[in-house]
Amino acid sequence: MHIHINDQLQQFHLTNGQISYIFQVLKNGSLGQLYFGKALRHREDFSHFQRNDLPTAASCHFYQDDPAFSLETTRQEYPVPGKGDFREAAIEVVDSEGRLGNLFAYKGYEVVKGKPPLTGLPATYAGEEEATTLIVTLEDHQVSARLQLSYTIFHHLPVITRSVKIENIGAHKLSLTKIMSSSIDLPDSEYKMVHLSGTWSRERHVKERELVQGISSVSSIRGASSHHDNPFIALKRKNTTEYRDEVYGFNFVYSSNFLAQVQVDHYETSRVMMGIHPHQFQWNLNANESFQAPEVVIVYSNEGLNGMSQAFHQLYRQHLIRDPWKKEERPVLINNWEATYFDFNEEKLVNIAKSAKDLGIELFVLDDGWFGKRNDDTSSLGDWFEDEDKLPNGLESLASKLKEMDLKFGLWFEPEMINPVSQLHKEHPDWIVGRPGEHFVFGRNQLVLDFSRPEVVNYLYEKMAGIISKTKLSYIKWDMNRNITDAYSSALNQEQQGEFFHRYILGVYDLYERLTTEFPDVLFESCAGGGGRFDPGMLYYAPQAWTSDDTDAVERLKIQYGTSLAYPIYSMGSHVSAVPNHQTLRKTPIDTRANTAYFGTFGYELNPLELKEEEREIIKTQVQFYKNHRKLIRDGDFYRLQSPFEENETAWMIVSKDREEALVGWYKVLATANPKKQQVLPLKGLDVNLLYEVNGEKAYYGDELVYRGLPLPIEFNGVNGKLAERGGDYQSAVFYLNGREK
């Protein structure tokens, strides 16, 4: 049993042997939070978990004859405004007379095997044997609204997902101005908040802050989850490490404006909320209409941050990324962008492809510049037809020649954008986001197409589906290079403008859904100027994302390390690029570039025609190495060993489920003279009784590797030059461990 329900006491206990999530119906019909954490044995009554020792003299009590019952001092599941709780509310809904919805009372529940989908939205999924869902219904008869709070517990993971649906059950219009997908009150505030923040080319750096009385938050109002703040936060105990003590993780399955916040009140209770950002949000609900809020994934770990990450990774690999790509191996690709930018023709592309094929590359991707009259970034977005000057024989000719080489073919699209200099703009200026006749803000010389309009989505679907069909595409890189400004749709009336941002992302999801349904074998990689929309909502449609436009191996250590807090390694687009690096001008060894890129979906961003023969041989070896180990990289458990945010060295590893294989990456950014540390690297996740052969040479038992460490190559220290196996800046090594006998 995964959901225990005491109908008499109206208590709910969701548990799976790893976690327990317990709440009850309060005296006024709202829901009270009792416990969330490590699994507890079930008992009939958990009401003693509700705190009742707080002073009430200064509180507003709900009932005149019961001064002890105050929502201000009660831990809640889905708090409402206006009834004595002066903390942030999870919902704000107003009827046509200005009446505020604040009397949502319990009406009943339903238990469903598996996990129902969310209409029009990406979400995790599960079969009847994999999860159980509890749907609790509350109603407010003053504003005639019904709430459905959905809780799914996965049977084999320390994961709860939450979502909310509101329905107008009256005759008059309701106005929804705030709806958080989850809210939970934790009993204290002895946590540090961990979040992933940055900007373009340095996305998802790990940040920490102390919780104090007040509100700590991360958010986006850019129309995308953003480069700057990811829709992820974690609360860890102050002594929590990667492998010890408890942490709560929260991740929003949504790709547009979001708010994630923790409010610490005057009694040190922590209220954690996550949902659509209320900024410029207002949704109108006519009679019998409903609004489905996106999903929040909540993970509990008592095995540190790495335990939390492994739960997220396993959930997303098994229950978010869809077939066939949850099981298929991803092809090693080469992208022509850094090789040619806009300057190419069919002959140049074919020559690059031939050279790449000789290196073992499996997929050739034609990036920006193949359409309209696209010779720079000032024109042609929206004109999804071949540039006849560059490709006089069309894409079909190029696709045919690639097929003859046994190379898969991929294309770059930026379907959400339009240039004023384009045929589409001449024909449909009304399709642009923004109020006609007023000033428009530009980004990368482009404006945004209004995806809240079905006709725009239909147009893009026809164009993209036609190209996929005629060229037999295997891969699409879906880019989005600017955020939304001037948020206004000519297709919506004045009362609906607050619906624009959400309707826009629903249009994006609709196009993704239609294309991935019709072409399930096409691998989609999402991109938003790099990592500006790296979120679970995108992973539902595109099983990998371009992690950052910054391909510098040193910078990628921080980006990929931070991203791994919530997202699987095999979802990260990670490529070897040319040097000097196009973003930092840093020159790193080609081995280090590959050693970083192996831990993701591998590929190249360079011109193979410019390589020396020695470099070509190195790349052949790299490609084959990745092919040999990509199943391990896809399916194995990821362990972070050394943080680039704390040390000059970074290390991580992947271990197979049976613990018979492992791949270890180690990196040192700057050389040090006469190093202080013993040159060993303690590992994780291995079978301590198994004998592991390292890179086909020396063998060590698992207990040696875990408790003492893996010996690193000898570093030059000024005196042992003849013995030195490494030295200089930007060092790295990758070790393959193969356990053969006990």
Side-chain angles (χ1 to χ4, degrees), residues 351-406:
N351 288 336
I352 290 173
K354 285 181 179 177
S355 184
K357 174 63 178 176
D358 291 340
L359 299 174
I361 304 293
E362 299 163 305
L363 167 65
F364 176 82
V365 179
L366 174 54
D367 208 280
D368 194 357
W370 58 267
F371 52 90
K373 297 296 179 183
R374 182 80 164 172
N375 296 312
D376 53 39
D377 64 7
T378 64
S379 75
S380 301
L381 284 174
D383 295 345
W384 299 111
F385 50 83
E386 296 96 323
D387 182 340
E388 295 181 355
D389 293 332
K390 296 177 184 175
L391 301 169
N393 300 315
L395 287 170
E396 289 173 279
S397 173
L398 177 60
S400 176
K401 291 176 180 177
L402 294 173
K403 185 177 181 180
E404 290 174 3
M405 297 182 225
D406 195 27

Side-chain angles (χ1 to χ4, degrees), residues 55-73:
T56 58
S59 301
C60 296
H61 44 97
F62 196 89
Y63 297 105
Q64 184 176 358
D65 61 352
D66 186 2
F69 184 71
S70 169
L71 294 181
E72 183 177 5
T73 58

Side-chain angles (χ1 to χ4, degrees), residues 78 91 93 101 103-108 135-149 164-170 174 176 179 285 288-292:
Y78 204 72
I91 188 169
V93 58
L103 288 173
F104 284 98
Y106 173 75
K107 288 298 176 184
I135 303 172
V136 180
T137 300
L138 303 97
E139 290 184 3
D140 185 329
H141 290 292
Q142 288 189 161
V143 297
S144 299
R146 177 182 294 134
L147 280 178
Q148 288 187 328
L149 307 184
V164 182
K165 182 179 180 180
I166 183 170
E167 181 182 0
N168 183 347
I169 58 175
L174 298 178
L176 181 66
I179 183 165
L285 289 173
N288 301 316
E289 290 183 344
S290 62
F291 180 86
Q292 175 65 61

Side-chain angles (χ1 to χ4, degrees), residues 332-335 338-339 361 546 550-553 556 560 573-579 581-583 588-599 601-608 611 615 618-619 622-623 626:
V332 178
L333 68 83
I334 190 165
N335 187 303
E338 291 192 7
I361 304 293
W546 188 225
D550 189 343
T551 57
D552 175 72
R556 273 300 189 101
Q560 292 174 207
S574 53
H575 297 169
V576 176
S577 61
V579 292
N581 180 264
H582 289 212
Q583 289 76 40
T588 54
I590 194 168
D591 286 344
T592 292
R593 283 174 269 158
N595 289 345
T596 301
Y598 288 143
F599 293 84
T601 58
F602 192 63
Y604 288 85
E605 304 270 337
L606 46 75
N607 190 343
L611 296 173
E615 293 173 317
I618 291 172
I619 288 177
Q622 292 173 348
V623 170
Y626 185 78

